[in-house]
Amino acid sequence: MKTKLFNIILLSIFCSALVAEVLMKPTSYSNELYKEKILDGNYIASIDHPNTFLDFNYGDRVANHSQISNAILKWSKQSNKIKVIEYAKSHEGRPLYVAFISSSENLKNLDEIKNQITKLSDPRITSNGEAKSIIENIPAVAWMAYSIHGNETSGADAALGIIYHLISSTDLEITKMLEDMVVIIDPMMNPDGRDRFAKSLEQYRGTAPNYDDQALLHTGDWPYGRTNHYYFDLNRDWFYLTQPETQGRVKLINQWRPQILVDGHEMGGQDTFMTGPPREPINKNIDYDLIKWGNVFAQDQAQAFDKKNWRFYTGEWHEDLYPGYSFYVQFRGSLGILYEQSRMAEDGVRRPEGTIQSYKESVHHQFVSTLANLKTLENNSKAMYQDYWDGRKYNLSKDSKYANQTFVILPTKNHGRLNALAEKLKAQDIELFSNQKTIVTKSAVTQSGEKLSNYVIPEGSLIIPNQQPEAPLIAAILEFDADIDKSVLIEERQESLRDGSSIMYDTTAFNFTMMFGLEAITVDEKISNSLETWTSTSPQSDINADSIIWATDGEDDRSVAFAARLMEKNIQVRVIDKESILSGHELSRGSVAVLQMDNPNVADLSSIIFQTGSDLGISIDSIESGFGPELLPDWGGRHFRLLEKPQVAILGHSNFNSYDVGVSWWSLDHHLGIRHTQLNGSFTGYADLRRYNVIIMPSGYLEMSDYEISALNDWVKQGGTLIAHNRSSRFIASQESLGSVKQLNDVLDQSKDYNFDLLREIYSVEDDLDQESVLNNTLNLEITYPWELNESNYSEEELKSRDKWQSIFMPSGAFVAGRTDQKHWLTFGTPKTLPVLYGNYPVLMTGSNAEAPIRIGELIDNTDATGFRTINWSTLLAGKDIKVRMSGLVWPEAAQRIANSAYLTRERVGKGQIILFAGEPNFRGSTRGTNRVWLNAIVYGPGLGTSPRIEL
Ligand SMILES: [Zn+2]
């Protein structure tokens, strides 16, 4: 016994000696690099210091989600100046907390304060006199939010210190501040991303500190800590509202209408510190008062930095056109303030001047900025409330720019998509209406920019008069085009020409109805008569368990999920690929039908069908007869097409774009909810691909060996459906063996052949002809062929020069018109003209082997255009014009380059098929129009586009 114990002691001494020999202590930490104390006040002893919750000294390293959460929850028990609310749970189950910090008196009255602020936001229910007294009596409200990008860590660490500082300081200035103010601290907006990055800090830590901001320790690796669980950038989601973190947060912010919203980020490690106000382009719907206040805050913050001898700047790359940043609050009357601190990870970063900036100092910058902003708000709150009140009155005034404008979303059978959009608008307090009778308007403008007079708004439209308390936000997200100054356009064009750079930080188009692929018009008058409050509707199911067919309408996106979920249960499902009427039920093209006789061995078939329909919120029609009147499809004919269960893999990792991988993954989970596999892209060569019949290749900088390419090609030929996006489509189009679709710049020498195929396609939907000449018995020697009618044909050399020049001007996120083939199964649930979000994508060309279910450019009639005209390689028929741009910045040169090219291609290869999207169809989980096409490709691809496999 004794010996044994002795041995163990000996062993442990030996081990620790060994550890000490190999693993040395790091030579320095932040506390040695940076001597200043962040928490330098006098504090109440009964409230735990942040160090209590950390295994390092506060500010030295990155605190993870549970450390920060534990501190906040404990403090809420130790102090009566803090109240904690959980406003959301991340996908990975981490709670998101905000801390309301104020005097105990204010905290008792939070509901009343919130009610007063709500009153102040609506001049329809509040008089000037009441507003005056509200402004005199309510405290200032600040929303301070940090680290929405998980790898931008210093903000959340600053928030931890700020909360402690505010609730435990005995300093009179702080006590007074909390009497004057409710400070709402949202310390960590993206806990899943933060913990992913915190984990990688552990994984890449060596013995000595690393000051090289290129090191893995600083950068992390794929999919990086910036984004949330599904690799979404949460700071682009503020009005798209696709993620639980944003949904919960926006709900609370909108209830509180804070006067300022601070959003603490980090940027490149060699940079300094940036804050507001922004530079142009600035969205024209932002109240100028906010820019004015932005300058006041920036000046005070600058003074605080000067005092500490810290460098900073304002403006430069910080623009404010896109309304989906945290600055969506600016459209609701709150001032948004951005912090961008240079990123230090944990160890600090060596700068060109030789100094090392420590992590602790970066935390200190955010800490000091926060206190400076709170002080400025305390000093100016009343005047800011007055401006806010004036702004709210302007939004509702008859003289405002919003008064004579109404947005109308036209009725659709796509209830799922329309209801989803309506919910997002309601979440922003936007008031929605509907009409039971048609309304005649003097004029209306369509999404294609067409001006129509005496337009009749059909009954059941979704009507949004712009004259509402939230007028600026309504305009920002529903107007077809954001107003951009000429001077901004000039600068942008100069930058493009100089070196291909851009002053646009995000997409230049974000119209919500175009994102959703829902048809809408703008009316330049206020529509308010005979409207009723909008309620979302879905038609009722017609339940009959003894029917022979059950069907759901194909217009509704959820019909695709219906088909996918039933197939996952091994139920045989069909799609009716042409509109029909069965037992009095009108069914759109692409409706999903389940036949009793296809599923003889499924005992509870009808109950599974009704349960699945009810889970998805869609209505099911029970059909007693398979007879379609007159020429409409009947149930035994070729239009009732059998589907095949999709078995899906998404490629991901290393060279793939994490956003596009994430949003594809999310779309499968969120829109379909069926099983699928995420497959490491580098496994393509040796994985058993036979398990899948659909492989999705999100956008990526692919490098594949000849062996991998041939493995993929063999898989396609054996019946696989390969779907690729953007850069992966570019890669496939550059391969000889993977289908015949090519990129424009590779085939300019064959432009005549491509034009020939294009003309054939265009004429194939022509619905008029000269009957007399067709039936003439004498041979007509005067037939003119379309390609002979061009005014000019460009030489290969000229086409190459044009292409080189035009490619300088490719858009960076704008809507162009997608012309859809309404007979193709890929376009089920898609309008004739589909707005397509377009960027610097591969310009795809289809020859006679491949189809182009969506091309760029809407062909419209123009009787004045009598001659045939030439657009680069293609011909524009007489009597036609082509519309390309719908919204955002599309230079005319770029519009010419992409006109008539394919956005979506589909090609039969062996027994399988290749489907290429020029762009990223699921962008930010919000391009619902193109997302539908993508869902069609996945769920219907194996059944409708490949040779059926019969299991013996
Ligand atoms: Zn950021």
Side-chain angles (χ1 to χ4, degrees):
M1 199 65 194
K2 211 174 179 183
T3 342
K4 224 175 178 181
L5 186 69
F6 174 76
N7 277 344
I8 291 168
I9 292 167
L10 193 71
L11 194 69
S12 64
I13 290 170
F14 179 69
C15 280
S16 56
L18 196 70
V19 167
E21 215 173 287
V22 178
L23 273 182
M24 288 193 294
K25 247 184 103 187
T27 48
S28 67
Y29 265 133
S30 279
N31 57 350
E32 289 155 40
L33 293 169
Y34 187 69
K35 298 293 181 196
E36 275 208 61
K37 222 174 155 190
I38 300 176
L39 296 170
D40 60 352
N42 298 308
Y43 300 114
I44 303 170
S46 62
I47 297 176
D48 287 337
H49 187 277
N51 285 351
T52 322
F53 306 95
L54 306 171
D55 44 5
F56 49 87
N57 282 325
Y58 171 68
D60 279 359
R61 298 179 61 178
V62 171
N64 64 27
H65 171 265
S66 68
Q67 288 168 328
I68 294 179
S69 299
N70 289 343
I72 293 173
L73 293 172
K74 186 77 179 286
W75 287 336
S76 72
K77 295 198 177 84
Q78 294 177 334
S79 165
N80 60 3
K81 291 185 181 171
I82 172 172
K83 188 181 165 195
V84 175
I85 289 179
E86 178 185 325
Y87 67 77
K89 256 201 176 62
S90 71
H91 287 291
E92 292 172 17
R94 294 185 179 86
L96 285 96
Y97 297 114
V98 282
F100 284 73
I101 296 169
S102 196
S103 67
S104 60
E105 197 61 31
N106 285 337
L107 285 189
K108 274 183 225 151
N109 291 327
L110 280 183
D111 283 344
E112 184 47 29
I113 295 169
K114 193 167 75 179
N115 286 342
Q116 296 292 311
I117 294 170
T118 307
K119 274 191 186 164
L120 193 65
S121 70
D122 191 350
R124 293 172 305 186
I125 55 166
T126 308
S127 68
N128 272 324
E130 286 169 305
K132 195 168 170 240
S133 110
I134 292 173
I135 292 170
E136 269 164 26
N137 292 309
I138 53 171
V141 177
W143 187 287
M144 317 298 281
Y146 305 87
S147 297
I148 196 166
H149 295 139
N151 57 349
E152 301 173 7
T153 51
S154 61
D157 284 299
L160 181 67
I162 286 283
I163 297 173
Y164 173 73
H165 186 75
L166 292 178
I167 61 171
S168 30
S169 173
T170 53
D171 188 346
L172 275 182
E173 202 182 345
I174 297 292
T175 329
K176 165 86 172 38
M177 184 186 272
L178 296 189
E179 281 164 17
D180 295 342
M181 194 181 302
V182 177
V183 186
I184 307 168
I185 297 188
D186 188 354
M188 174 180 28
M189 292 191 275
N190 173 13
D192 291 353
R194 183 176 185 86
D195 276 12
R196 188 159 69 231
F197 185 67
K199 180 81 188 155
S200 85
L201 283 172
E202 287 173 11
Q203 287 169 334
Y204 291 113
R205 171 150 306 292
T207 302
N210 188 312
Y211 306 133
D212 177 4
D213 58 352
Q214 296 184 68
L216 273 167
L217 179 80
H218 290 261
T219 61
D221 51 16
W222 203 99
Y224 307 99
R226 175 183 177 91
T227 51
N228 78 345
H229 174 76
Y230 283 108
Y231 319 155
F232 271 63
D233 185 336
L234 294 177
N235 198 30
R236 301 295 183 275
D237 194 42
W238 293 81
F239 76 90
Y240 295 144
L241 300 176
T242 63
Q243 300 301 299
E245 297 92 338
T246 330
Q247 288 161 353
R249 179 178 310 130
V250 163
K251 192 172 172 196
L252 199 58
I253 292 175
N254 288 354
Q255 285 171 13
W256 274 92
R257 307 174 178 280
Q259 293 184 281
I260 60 170
L261 184 140
V262 159
D263 182 7
H265 288 252
E266 287 183 347
M267 56 182 170
Q270 300 292 344
D271 217 317
T272 60
F273 186 96
M274 184 183 73
T275 186
R279 57 137 171 94
E280 288 285 354
I282 295 172
N283 196 298
K284 294 281 180 277
N285 293 301
I286 294 174
D287 190 342
Y288 183 77
D289 282 338
L290 294 176
I291 315 283
K292 176 189 81 183
W293 285 116
N295 274 303
V296 174
F297 279 78
Q299 262 179 31
D300 288 356
Q301 201 174 331
Q303 257 179 28
F305 268 49
D306 285 341
K307 229 189 254 175
K308 295 241 172 226
N309 206 12
W310 293 339
R311 293 168 69 207
F312 64 88
Y313 59 95
T314 64
E316 294 206 14
W317 55 269
H318 170 19
E319 53 80 72
D320 210 357
L321 183 70
Y322 176 71
Y325 305 124
S326 59
F327 295 151
Y328 88 99
V329 294
Q330 306 223 107
F331 300 89
R332 295 172 51 100
S334 307
L335 171 65
I337 300 174
L338 175 70
Y339 301 165
E340 290 282 355
Q341 163 63 45
S342 52
R343 195 141 69 86
M344 297 302 140
E346 285 192 331
D347 289 11
V349 165
R350 177 86 69 186
R351 300 182 55 88
E353 59 267 30
T355 55
I356 299 164
Q357 195 171 94
S358 69
Y359 183 64
K360 191 174 171 190
E361 182 177 340
S362 70
V363 174
H364 204 182
H365 290 178
Q366 303 248 18
F367 183 94
V368 166
S369 300
T370 300
L371 283 183
N373 286 168
L374 290 177
K375 190 76 204 156
T376 308
L377 177 62
E378 190 187 8
N379 293 338
N380 297 285
S381 166
K382 302 293 174 205
M384 288 176 77
Y385 272 133
Q386 186 60 50
D387 281 349
Y388 174 75
W389 170 246
D390 292 342
R392 303 303 282 191
K393 284 195 294 185
Y394 174 79
N395 296 348
L396 288 162
S397 127
K398 281 198 293 254
D399 305 321
S400 89
K401 63 174 175 175
Y402 306 115
N404 296 311
Q405 177 157 275
T406 302
F407 302 104
V408 179
I409 305 174
L410 301 178
T412 169
K413 283 170 91 179
N414 199 340
H415 301 285
R417 203 188 295 176
L418 181 65
N419 292 345
L421 180 61
E423 285 311 311
K424 289 170 198 294
L425 297 174
K426 281 202 271 188
Q428 299 289 4
D429 303 314
I430 294 170
E431 295 165 8
L432 310 179
F433 301 90
S434 186
N435 55 329
Q436 278 200 333
K437 286 184 193 154
T438 55
I439 298 172
V440 183
T441 64
K442 276 196 218 98
S443 71
V445 179
T446 69
Q447 288 169 327
S448 302
E450 208 83 11
K451 281 198 177 67
L452 308 169
S453 49
N454 297 320
Y455 182 84
V456 180
I457 299 174
E459 61 181 80
S461 296
L462 171 53
I463 297 180
I464 307 154
N466 200 172
Q467 192 188 47
Q468 293 188 30
E470 303 305 341
L473 184 63
I474 295 171
I477 61 181
L478 290 178
E479 64 190 6
F480 292 149
D481 249 319
D483 199 359
I484 300 176
D485 281 341
K486 188 177 173 186
S487 59
V488 171
L489 289 178
I490 290 172
E491 193 183 344
E492 174 69 7
R493 196 173 168 89
Q494 287 174 345
E495 295 293 311
S496 299
L497 283 164
R498 179 191 295 267
D499 55 11
S501 65
S502 169
I503 58 167
M504 302 294 180
Y505 194 68
D506 205 87
T507 60
T508 59
F510 26 76
N511 173 272
F512 222 161
T513 56
M514 292 189 201
M515 291 295 287
F516 266 58
L518 291 169
E519 286 183 76
I521 54 153
T522 303
V523 178
D524 59 359
E525 60 190 272
K526 183 186 176 183
I527 298 176
S528 55
N529 288 338
S530 41
L531 296 185
E532 53 192 58
T533 303
W534 162 268
T535 46
S536 58
T537 47
S538 280
Q540 290 298 303
S541 283
D542 141 38
I543 300 180
N544 179 359
D546 299 325
S547 293
I548 57 169
I549 303 170
W550 296 273
T552 192
D553 197 89
E555 247 347 66
D556 197 308
D557 298 335
R558 295 170 296 183
S559 61
V560 190
F562 179 71
R565 289 183 184 197
L566 291 179
M567 284 191 278
E568 184 150 280
K569 295 196 165 91
N570 292 320
I571 288 170
Q572 298 295 329
V573 180
R574 292 178 186 266
V575 151
I576 314 171
D577 69 3
K578 196 179 168 196
E579 59 182 6
S580 187
I581 300 174
L582 296 165
S583 299
H585 296 286
E586 285 180 27
L587 293 166
S588 312
R589 188 174 73 93
S591 290
V592 176
V594 186
L595 276 54
Q596 172 78 61
M597 62 83 58
D598 282 338
N599 297 284
N601 300 322
V602 186
D604 44 356
L605 181 63
S606 69
S607 59
I608 296 174
I609 289 170
F610 288 114
Q611 186 56 50
T612 307
S614 126
D615 291 348
L616 291 163
I618 50 173
S619 65
I620 309 293
D621 293 332
S622 296
I623 292 163
E624 287 77 36
S625 168
F627 172 71
E630 297 176 12
L631 291 179
L632 295 178
D634 312 297
W635 73 328
R638 65 190 172 97
H639 295 293
F640 273 67
R641 300 175 66 182
L642 190 66
L643 297 177
E644 188 170 320
K645 179 166 89 173
Q647 303 198 155
V648 184
I650 310 180
L651 303 188
H653 257 74
S654 50
N655 293 329
F656 288 90
N657 175 319
S658 64
Y659 294 115
D660 198 37
V661 173
V663 77
S664 303
W665 172 25
W666 177 82
S667 288
L668 284 174
D669 277 354
H670 185 80
H671 293 303
L672 298 180
I674 56 166
R675 286 174 292 136
H676 57 271
T677 293
Q678 280 199 68
L679 190 65
N680 190 320
S682 61
F683 291 2
T684 330
Y686 55 89
D688 183 358
L689 300 182
R690 293 174 305 171
R691 293 177 193 177
Y692 320 110
N693 58 12
V694 176
I695 293 180
I696 301 162
M697 293 172 99
S699 186
Y701 289 91
L702 299 192
E703 287 166 25
M704 291 176 91
S705 67
D706 290 347
Y707 175 72
E708 288 169 322
I709 292 168
S710 98
L712 205 56
N713 202 18
D714 289 346
W715 173 84
V716 172
K717 285 180 180 163
Q718 289 302 313
T721 293
L722 179 65
I723 301 170
H725 310 163
N726 187 1
R727 290 193 172 277
S728 294
S729 296
R730 196 187 286 273
F731 174 81
I732 289 173
S734 69
Q735 299 300 314
E736 278 308 315
S737 59
L738 290 168
S740 70
V741 174
K742 294 279 168 272
Q743 291 184 76
L744 172 64
N745 43 331
D746 291 336
V747 294
L748 290 167
D749 57 335
Q750 301 157 48
S751 63
K752 279 188 182 154
D753 294 340
Y754 281 98
N755 192 32
F756 182 97
D757 292 325
L758 174 75
L759 288 166
R760 185 173 159 181
E761 181 189 302
I762 290 173
Y763 277 109
S764 78
V765 291
E766 195 53 42
D767 53 7
D768 193 22
L769 61 75
D770 178 358
Q771 195 174 6
E772 206 178 315
S773 105
V774 172
L775 299 178
N776 196 327
N777 295 34
T778 313
L779 179 68
N780 183 355
L781 295 169
E782 302 297 312
I783 301 173
T784 42
Y785 293 91
W787 57 89
E788 295 169 352
L789 293 167
N790 284 11
E791 280 171 5
S792 62
N793 278 313
Y794 297 111
S795 66
E796 186 187 335
E797 202 181 338
E798 172 63 19
L799 284 173
K800 280 184 175 161
S801 300
R802 281 181 158 241
D803 194 62
K804 204 171 163 190
W805 182 261
Q806 289 166 350
S807 56
I808 297 169
F809 297 99
M810 289 295 273
S812 58
F815 281 109
V816 297
R819 156 171 111 234
T820 66
D821 174 354
Q822 287 290 307
K823 285 186 176 159
H824 205 288
W825 56 269
L826 276 165
T827 65
F828 291 156
T830 302
K832 224 175 138 197
T833 301
L834 178 70
V836 170
L837 193 66
Y838 208 90
N840 190 13
Y841 297 150
V843 181
L844 299 179
M845 302 287 280
T846 51
S848 52
N849 285 332
E851 300 153 0
I854 304 180
R855 280 191 192 278
I856 302 301
E858 179 186 10
L859 292 171
I860 56 158
D861 294 333
N862 174 8
T863 43
D864 296 338
T866 48
F868 282 58
R869 288 173 289 169
T870 303
I871 317 162
N872 291 347
W873 58 275
S874 67
T875 300
L876 185 60
L877 304 192
K880 296 285 179 193
D881 266 342
I882 186 165
K883 291 203 169 201
V884 172
R885 193 191 81 89
M886 291 186 89
S887 175
L889 180 54
V890 183
W891 294 112
E893 290 88 345
Q896 272 198 0
R897 181 171 192 240
I898 65 179
N900 282 326
S901 72
Y903 173 80
L904 173 69
T905 71
R906 184 260 164 197
E907 179 172 21
R908 185 68 180 236
V909 176
K911 293 181 178 57
Q913 63 186 337
I914 298 178
I915 295 172
L916 303 182
F917 287 83
E920 295 170 17
N922 307 317
F923 186 73
R924 293 182 183 161
S926 301
T927 45
R928 297 283 287 269
T930 43
N931 168 258
R932 170 60 192 269
V933 178
W934 185 79
L935 295 175
N936 289 343
I938 292 165
V939 177
Y940 302 148
L944 304 189
T946 70
S947 302
R949 204 166 60 102
I950 294 174
E951 290 197 24
L952 297 175

